[in-house]
Amino acid sequence: MLLAPGLVNAHGHAAMTLFRGLADDLPLQTWLQDHIWPAESRWVDEEFIRSGSELAIAEQLKSGITCFSDMYFFPNVVSELVHKHGVRAQIAIPVLDFPIPGARDADEALRKGVALFDDLKHHPRLTVAFGPHAPYSVADDKLESIRILVAEMDAGIHMHVHETAHEVQEALHKHGERPLARLARLQLLGPRFQAVHMTQVDDEDLALLTEHNCSVIHCPESNLKLASGFCPVERLWEAGINVAIGTDGAASNNDLDLLGETRTAALLAKAVAGSATALDAHRALRMATLNGARALGLDDHTGSLELGKFADLVAFDLSGLAQQPIYDPVSQLIYSSARDCVRHVWVGGKQLLDDRRLTRMDEERLIANAHQWGERIANTDKSR
Ligand SMILES: [Zn+2]
């Protein structure tokens, strides 16, 4: 076995597991406008969030993920599940310019977010951040309110930024300003700022990220599947920027497999940088563990095997024939292992996966429940 720090999935939308495979191989706008948004407005309520998030927590534990970031609706429901099932999470309060499930407007979302932050302030496994969806979907006045709140509360900001070239072009056309530059002007950037995606990075963007000590969260498989672009991981790393990794939601990935995601990241970084030495296996593992914890502001608690941190651990079984011989266990883990080698998982010293079996969750019930949701949702999707 290789004992490693628990993996940190630094970006996702947990309950979207219930939309896994609903609408594949479509352009981003068609995928969103004709499938995902209608399905969300038809189906997302507290019960949907409960079922989808439990499925995500179980899948992530079986994949060696001990800590995840969630940015989806009804953050109070997800928080209850994280508390109940013993995992660790950052819950980002979703904020958009339009009404969302669970909040009629951004003010209500922020009010509820502040209440949740206060409730969970001393929770050993839960932290609350603010999640303005993206620069194009949140207006200046709301970003201003968020800036004031996070300064008072010392909370993180988790946001999709520069996901596609189109996003940057449109902002330049409409406002004459790149989205990251606008966020800098609004004083949102800082060490607690988590910029998700960043497939578009010019010299000025790089200077802003460095100057403000922001983290970047790389989601390679979602970017590949939606043909969004390539995050220049090696360039960011060389500039000293903290780069973490996330799976994004299961509707655009389609799994919550951070080990597989890390392998993709390591391979893709070499192609993008044009260099076989880019993102070696050891740095890739660090990106999936300590860098994730650092991005979420949790590196005092998790992300590495050190005295004083919580025992968030994974035992990977490297005894299979596909891993032999073992010259370097980390290389074997990143380049030759799949998530079925996850044997045991502990969070805060409590064993949540024992010999590939969930200790606190009923896997058969979760599968049956997901199956029922799938049948109901399939009957209403217009592509079927
Ligand atoms: Zn996302």
mmCIF file of all heavy atoms in Angstrom, residues 54-86:
data_model
loop_
_atom_site.group_PDB
_atom_site.id
_atom_site.type_symbol
_atom_site.label_atom_id
_atom_site.label_comp_id
_atom_site.label_asym_id
_atom_site.label_seq_id
_atom_site.Cartn_x
_atom_site.Cartn_y
_atom_site.Cartn_z
ATOM 1 N N GLU A 54 -25.232 13.178 -1.984
ATOM 2 C CA GLU A 54 -24.846 11.921 -1.309
ATOM 3 C C GLU A 54 -24.142 10.990 -2.285
ATOM 4 O O GLU A 54 -23.143 10.356 -1.940
ATOM 5 C CB GLU A 54 -26.079 11.220 -0.724
ATOM 6 C CG GLU A 54 -26.500 11.828 0.591
ATOM 7 C CD GLU A 54 -27.434 10.934 1.394
ATOM 8 O OE1 GLU A 54 -28.363 10.369 0.777
ATOM 9 O OE2 GLU A 54 -27.231 10.822 2.613
ATOM 10 N N LEU A 55 -24.657 10.940 -3.503
ATOM 11 C CA LEU A 55 -24.016 10.116 -4.536
ATOM 12 C C LEU A 55 -22.577 10.607 -4.771
ATOM 13 O O LEU A 55 -21.639 9.813 -4.881
ATOM 14 C CB LEU A 55 -24.843 10.205 -5.830
ATOM 15 C CG LEU A 55 -24.443 9.327 -7.004
ATOM 16 C CD1 LEU A 55 -24.568 7.855 -6.653
ATOM 17 C CD2 LEU A 55 -25.308 9.653 -8.223
ATOM 18 N N ALA A 56 -22.423 11.944 -4.810
ATOM 19 C CA ALA A 56 -21.090 12.536 -5.039
ATOM 20 C C ALA A 56 -20.148 12.255 -3.869
ATOM 21 O O ALA A 56 -18.970 11.927 -4.079
ATOM 22 C CB ALA A 56 -21.222 14.044 -5.252
ATOM 23 N N ILE A 57 -20.642 12.366 -2.648
ATOM 24 C CA ILE A 57 -19.787 12.119 -1.476
ATOM 25 C C ILE A 57 -19.297 10.666 -1.495
ATOM 26 O O ILE A 57 -18.111 10.383 -1.283
ATOM 27 C CB ILE A 57 -20.546 12.464 -0.167
ATOM 28 C CG1 ILE A 57 -20.720 13.983 -0.052
ATOM 29 C CG2 ILE A 57 -19.829 11.897 1.055
ATOM 30 C CD1 ILE A 57 -21.663 14.437 1.059
ATOM 31 N N ALA A 58 -20.217 9.746 -1.795
ATOM 32 C CA ALA A 58 -19.854 8.325 -1.822
ATOM 33 C C ALA A 58 -18.844 8.048 -2.941
ATOM 34 O O ALA A 58 -17.827 7.379 -2.730
ATOM 35 C CB ALA A 58 -21.107 7.476 -2.014
ATOM 36 N N GLU A 59 -19.116 8.581 -4.129
ATOM 37 C CA GLU A 59 -18.191 8.355 -5.254
ATOM 38 C C GLU A 59 -16.808 8.930 -4.927
ATOM 39 O O GLU A 59 -15.774 8.313 -5.219
ATOM 40 C CB GLU A 59 -18.735 9.004 -6.537
ATOM 41 C CG GLU A 59 -17.811 8.760 -7.733
ATOM 42 C CD GLU A 59 -18.248 9.472 -9.017
ATOM 43 O OE1 GLU A 59 -19.371 10.004 -9.056
ATOM 44 O OE2 GLU A 59 -17.437 9.500 -9.963
ATOM 45 N N GLN A 60 -16.797 10.106 -4.312
ATOM 46 C CA GLN A 60 -15.512 10.748 -4.009
ATOM 47 C C GLN A 60 -14.737 9.953 -2.961
ATOM 48 O O GLN A 60 -13.518 9.782 -3.077
ATOM 49 C CB GLN A 60 -15.737 12.195 -3.574
ATOM 50 C CG GLN A 60 -16.281 13.032 -4.739
ATOM 51 C CD GLN A 60 -16.328 14.517 -4.437
ATOM 52 O OE1 GLN A 60 -15.464 15.268 -4.864
ATOM 53 N NE2 GLN A 60 -17.327 14.944 -3.691
ATOM 54 N N LEU A 61 -15.425 9.452 -1.930
ATOM 55 C CA LEU A 61 -14.719 8.649 -0.924
ATOM 56 C C LEU A 61 -14.105 7.415 -1.571
ATOM 57 O O LEU A 61 -12.949 7.064 -1.295
ATOM 58 C CB LEU A 61 -15.687 8.221 0.188
ATOM 59 C CG LEU A 61 -15.961 9.272 1.254
ATOM 60 C CD1 LEU A 61 -17.065 8.789 2.197
ATOM 61 C CD2 LEU A 61 -14.693 9.595 2.052
ATOM 62 N N LYS A 62 -14.861 6.770 -2.453
ATOM 63 C CA LYS A 62 -14.341 5.572 -3.116
ATOM 64 C C LYS A 62 -13.203 5.909 -4.079
ATOM 65 O O LYS A 62 -12.489 5.031 -4.542
ATOM 66 C CB LYS A 62 -15.470 4.838 -3.852
ATOM 67 C CG LYS A 62 -16.508 4.284 -2.882
ATOM 68 C CD LYS A 62 -17.409 3.264 -3.528
ATOM 69 C CE LYS A 62 -16.698 1.942 -3.652
ATOM 70 N NZ LYS A 62 -17.564 0.859 -4.132
ATOM 71 N N SER A 63 -13.049 7.201 -4.397
ATOM 72 C CA SER A 63 -11.968 7.648 -5.288
ATOM 73 C C SER A 63 -10.802 8.258 -4.512
ATOM 74 O O SER A 63 -9.914 8.865 -5.108
ATOM 75 C CB SER A 63 -12.511 8.695 -6.271
ATOM 76 O OG SER A 63 -13.678 8.231 -6.904
ATOM 77 N N GLY A 64 -10.839 8.166 -3.182
ATOM 78 C CA GLY A 64 -9.729 8.672 -2.375
ATOM 79 C C GLY A 64 -9.799 10.153 -2.063
ATOM 80 O O GLY A 64 -8.816 10.751 -1.611
ATOM 81 N N ILE A 65 -10.960 10.779 -2.309
ATOM 82 C CA ILE A 65 -11.116 12.218 -2.049
ATOM 83 C C ILE A 65 -11.660 12.403 -0.633
ATOM 84 O O ILE A 65 -12.742 11.916 -0.314
ATOM 85 C CB ILE A 65 -12.075 12.856 -3.085
ATOM 86 C CG1 ILE A 65 -11.472 12.757 -4.489
ATOM 87 C CG2 ILE A 65 -12.390 14.308 -2.715
ATOM 88 C CD1 ILE A 65 -12.479 12.986 -5.610
ATOM 89 N N THR A 66 -10.888 13.104 0.200
ATOM 90 C CA THR A 66 -11.324 13.316 1.587
ATOM 91 C C THR A 66 -11.881 14.716 1.783
ATOM 92 O O THR A 66 -12.526 14.997 2.783
ATOM 93 C CB THR A 66 -10.148 13.093 2.562
ATOM 94 O OG1 THR A 66 -9.056 13.929 2.141
ATOM 95 C CG2 THR A 66 -9.711 11.635 2.572
ATOM 96 N N CYS A 67 -11.591 15.610 0.844
ATOM 97 C CA CYS A 67 -12.036 17.005 0.965
ATOM 98 C C CYS A 67 -12.451 17.497 -0.419
ATOM 99 O O CYS A 67 -11.750 17.247 -1.397
ATOM 100 C CB CYS A 67 -10.883 17.848 1.502
ATOM 101 S SG CYS A 67 -11.240 19.613 1.632
ATOM 102 N N PHE A 68 -13.602 18.164 -0.488
ATOM 103 C CA PHE A 68 -14.020 18.690 -1.797
ATOM 104 C C PHE A 68 -14.591 20.086 -1.643
ATOM 105 O O PHE A 68 -15.013 20.489 -0.555
ATOM 106 C CB PHE A 68 -15.036 17.755 -2.474
ATOM 107 C CG PHE A 68 -16.393 17.662 -1.792
ATOM 108 C CD1 PHE A 68 -17.477 18.399 -2.269
ATOM 109 C CD2 PHE A 68 -16.583 16.857 -0.682
ATOM 110 C CE1 PHE A 68 -18.729 18.318 -1.654
ATOM 111 C CE2 PHE A 68 -17.829 16.763 -0.058
ATOM 112 C CZ PHE A 68 -18.901 17.494 -0.544
ATOM 113 N N SER A 69 -14.578 20.816 -2.751
ATOM 114 C CA SER A 69 -15.230 22.118 -2.763
ATOM 115 C C SER A 69 -16.522 21.970 -3.546
ATOM 116 O O SER A 69 -16.554 21.329 -4.596
ATOM 117 C CB SER A 69 -14.322 23.155 -3.442
ATOM 118 O OG SER A 69 -15.011 24.390 -3.506
ATOM 119 N N ASP A 70 -17.597 22.543 -3.008
ATOM 120 C CA ASP A 70 -18.875 22.463 -3.712
ATOM 121 C C ASP A 70 -19.382 23.867 -4.013
ATOM 122 O O ASP A 70 -19.260 24.767 -3.193
ATOM 123 C CB ASP A 70 -19.915 21.710 -2.875
ATOM 124 C CG ASP A 70 -21.187 21.447 -3.690
ATOM 125 O OD1 ASP A 70 -21.064 21.025 -4.854
ATOM 126 O OD2 ASP A 70 -22.292 21.684 -3.169
ATOM 127 N N MET A 71 -19.937 24.043 -5.194
ATOM 128 C CA MET A 71 -20.504 25.325 -5.603
ATOM 129 C C MET A 71 -21.799 25.001 -6.329
ATOM 130 O O MET A 71 -21.804 24.779 -7.537
ATOM 131 C CB MET A 71 -19.513 26.015 -6.547
ATOM 132 C CG MET A 71 -19.902 27.403 -6.996
ATOM 133 S SD MET A 71 -19.008 27.807 -8.515
ATOM 134 C CE MET A 71 -18.712 29.531 -8.288
ATOM 135 N N TYR A 72 -22.879 24.858 -5.534
ATOM 136 C CA TYR A 72 -24.154 24.515 -6.167
ATOM 137 C C TYR A 72 -25.271 25.033 -5.268
ATOM 138 O O TYR A 72 -25.016 25.784 -4.323
ATOM 139 C CB TYR A 72 -24.226 22.997 -6.417
ATOM 140 C CG TYR A 72 -25.065 22.630 -7.626
ATOM 141 C CD1 TYR A 72 -24.891 23.276 -8.839
ATOM 142 C CD2 TYR A 72 -26.031 21.635 -7.551
ATOM 143 C CE1 TYR A 72 -25.658 22.939 -9.948
ATOM 144 C CE2 TYR A 72 -26.798 21.280 -8.663
ATOM 145 C CZ TYR A 72 -26.608 21.946 -9.859
ATOM 146 O OH TYR A 72 -27.365 21.614 -10.948
ATOM 147 N N PHE A 73 -26.503 24.635 -5.573
ATOM 148 C CA PHE A 73 -27.649 25.240 -4.886
ATOM 149 C C PHE A 73 -27.917 24.589 -3.519
ATOM 150 O O PHE A 73 -27.444 23.513 -3.246
ATOM 151 C CB PHE A 73 -28.875 25.150 -5.784
ATOM 152 C CG PHE A 73 -28.608 25.672 -7.181
ATOM 153 C CD1 PHE A 73 -28.666 24.849 -8.294
ATOM 154 C CD2 PHE A 73 -28.231 27.004 -7.359
ATOM 155 C CE1 PHE A 73 -28.391 25.340 -9.568
ATOM 156 C CE2 PHE A 73 -27.954 27.505 -8.634
ATOM 157 C CZ PHE A 73 -28.037 26.661 -9.741
ATOM 158 N N PHE A 74 -28.687 25.278 -2.691
ATOM 159 C CA PHE A 74 -29.019 24.821 -1.335
ATOM 160 C C PHE A 74 -27.771 24.424 -0.537
ATOM 161 O O PHE A 74 -27.643 23.271 -0.086
ATOM 162 C CB PHE A 74 -30.024 23.656 -1.378
ATOM 163 C CG PHE A 74 -31.355 24.032 -1.978
ATOM 164 C CD1 PHE A 74 -31.682 23.663 -3.282
ATOM 165 C CD2 PHE A 74 -32.282 24.777 -1.237
ATOM 166 C CE1 PHE A 74 -32.903 24.027 -3.843
ATOM 167 C CE2 PHE A 74 -33.506 25.132 -1.794
ATOM 168 C CZ PHE A 74 -33.821 24.757 -3.097
ATOM 169 N N PRO A 75 -26.834 25.377 -0.354
ATOM 170 C CA PRO A 75 -25.606 25.040 0.376
ATOM 171 C C PRO A 75 -25.873 24.531 1.797
ATOM 172 O O PRO A 75 -25.069 23.760 2.342
ATOM 173 C CB PRO A 75 -24.826 26.362 0.400
ATOM 174 C CG PRO A 75 -25.788 27.426 -0.013
ATOM 175 C CD PRO A 75 -26.838 26.763 -0.838
ATOM 176 N N ASN A 76 -27.014 24.914 2.378
ATOM 177 C CA ASN A 76 -27.337 24.422 3.723
ATOM 178 C C ASN A 76 -27.559 22.907 3.723
ATOM 179 O O ASN A 76 -27.158 22.209 4.653
ATOM 180 C CB ASN A 76 -28.583 25.140 4.266
ATOM 181 C CG ASN A 76 -29.759 25.056 3.304
ATOM 182 O OD1 ASN A 76 -29.594 25.205 2.078
ATOM 183 N ND2 ASN A 76 -30.953 24.793 3.820
ATOM 184 N N VAL A 77 -28.168 22.392 2.637
ATOM 185 C CA VAL A 77 -28.436 20.951 2.557
ATOM 186 C C VAL A 77 -27.120 20.181 2.406
ATOM 187 O O VAL A 77 -26.895 19.170 3.074
ATOM 188 C CB VAL A 77 -29.385 20.653 1.369
ATOM 189 C CG1 VAL A 77 -29.562 19.151 1.193
ATOM 190 C CG2 VAL A 77 -30.730 21.337 1.577
ATOM 191 N N VAL A 78 -26.237 20.678 1.538
ATOM 192 C CA VAL A 78 -24.943 20.015 1.333
ATOM 193 C C VAL A 78 -24.148 20.014 2.639
ATOM 194 O O VAL A 78 -23.518 19.011 3.000
ATOM 195 C CB VAL A 78 -24.135 20.702 0.214
ATOM 196 C CG1 VAL A 78 -22.877 19.914 -0.079
ATOM 197 C CG2 VAL A 78 -24.965 20.845 -1.038
ATOM 198 N N SER A 79 -24.202 21.140 3.368
ATOM 199 C CA SER A 79 -23.474 21.231 4.646
ATOM 200 C C SER A 79 -23.957 20.155 5.617
ATOM 201 O O SER A 79 -23.139 19.518 6.296
ATOM 202 C CB SER A 79 -23.684 22.599 5.293
ATOM 203 O OG SER A 79 -23.272 23.604 4.416
ATOM 204 N N GLU A 80 -25.264 19.950 5.681
ATOM 205 C CA GLU A 80 -25.795 18.907 6.583
ATOM 206 C C GLU A 80 -25.240 17.536 6.214
ATOM 207 O O GLU A 80 -24.906 16.727 7.081
ATOM 208 C CB GLU A 80 -27.335 18.832 6.471
ATOM 209 C CG GLU A 80 -28.069 19.925 7.207
ATOM 210 C CD GLU A 80 -29.544 19.977 6.779
ATOM 211 O OE1 GLU A 80 -30.087 18.936 6.342
ATOM 212 O OE2 GLU A 80 -30.133 21.071 6.869
ATOM 213 N N LEU A 81 -25.143 17.277 4.902
ATOM 214 C CA LEU A 81 -24.658 15.969 4.446
ATOM 215 C C LEU A 81 -23.170 15.792 4.735
ATOM 216 O O LEU A 81 -22.733 14.709 5.118
ATOM 217 C CB LEU A 81 -24.921 15.804 2.945
ATOM 218 C CG LEU A 81 -26.400 15.774 2.552
ATOM 219 C CD1 LEU A 81 -26.547 15.856 1.048
ATOM 220 C CD2 LEU A 81 -27.064 14.520 3.098
ATOM 221 N N VAL A 82 -22.401 16.855 4.561
ATOM 222 C CA VAL A 82 -20.965 16.794 4.861
ATOM 223 C C VAL A 82 -20.785 16.501 6.350
ATOM 224 O O VAL A 82 -19.980 15.649 6.746
ATOM 225 C CB VAL A 82 -20.270 18.122 4.470
ATOM 226 C CG1 VAL A 82 -18.857 18.198 5.032
ATOM 227 C CG2 VAL A 82 -20.243 18.264 2.940
ATOM 228 N N HIS A 83 -21.580 17.183 7.164
ATOM 229 C CA HIS A 83 -21.533 16.960 8.616
ATOM 230 C C HIS A 83 -21.870 15.502 8.934
ATOM 231 O O HIS A 83 -21.142 14.826 9.660
ATOM 232 C CB HIS A 83 -22.522 17.909 9.311
ATOM 233 C CG HIS A 83 -22.650 17.644 10.772
ATOM 234 N ND1 HIS A 83 -21.698 18.025 11.675
ATOM 235 C CD2 HIS A 83 -23.621 16.997 11.472
ATOM 236 C CE1 HIS A 83 -22.070 17.628 12.891
ATOM 237 N NE2 HIS A 83 -23.234 17.003 12.788
ATOM 238 N N LYS A 84 -22.948 15.012 8.327
ATOM 239 C CA LYS A 84 -23.446 13.667 8.632
ATOM 240 C C LYS A 84 -22.485 12.562 8.184
ATOM 241 O O LYS A 84 -22.282 11.584 8.900
ATOM 242 C CB LYS A 84 -24.799 13.492 7.932
ATOM 243 C CG LYS A 84 -25.438 12.129 8.083
ATOM 244 C CD LYS A 84 -26.785 12.086 7.362
ATOM 245 C CE LYS A 84 -27.286 10.636 7.296
ATOM 246 N NZ LYS A 84 -28.417 10.525 6.357
ATOM 247 N N HIS A 85 -21.902 12.722 7.011
ATOM 248 C CA HIS A 85 -21.131 11.616 6.445
ATOM 249 C C HIS A 85 -19.638 11.665 6.776
ATOM 250 O O HIS A 85 -18.877 10.795 6.341
ATOM 251 C CB HIS A 85 -21.350 11.540 4.935
ATOM 252 C CG HIS A 85 -22.770 11.160 4.583
ATOM 253 N ND1 HIS A 85 -23.336 9.974 4.972
ATOM 254 C CD2 HIS A 85 -23.734 11.847 3.918
ATOM 255 C CE1 HIS A 85 -24.596 9.928 4.551
ATOM 256 N NE2 HIS A 85 -24.863 11.052 3.908
ATOM 257 N N GLY A 86 -19.197 12.678 7.508
ATOM 258 C CA GLY A 86 -17.838 12.657 8.054
ATOM 259 C C GLY A 86 -16.729 13.142 7.135
ATOM 260 O O GLY A 86 -15.558 13.033 7.480
#
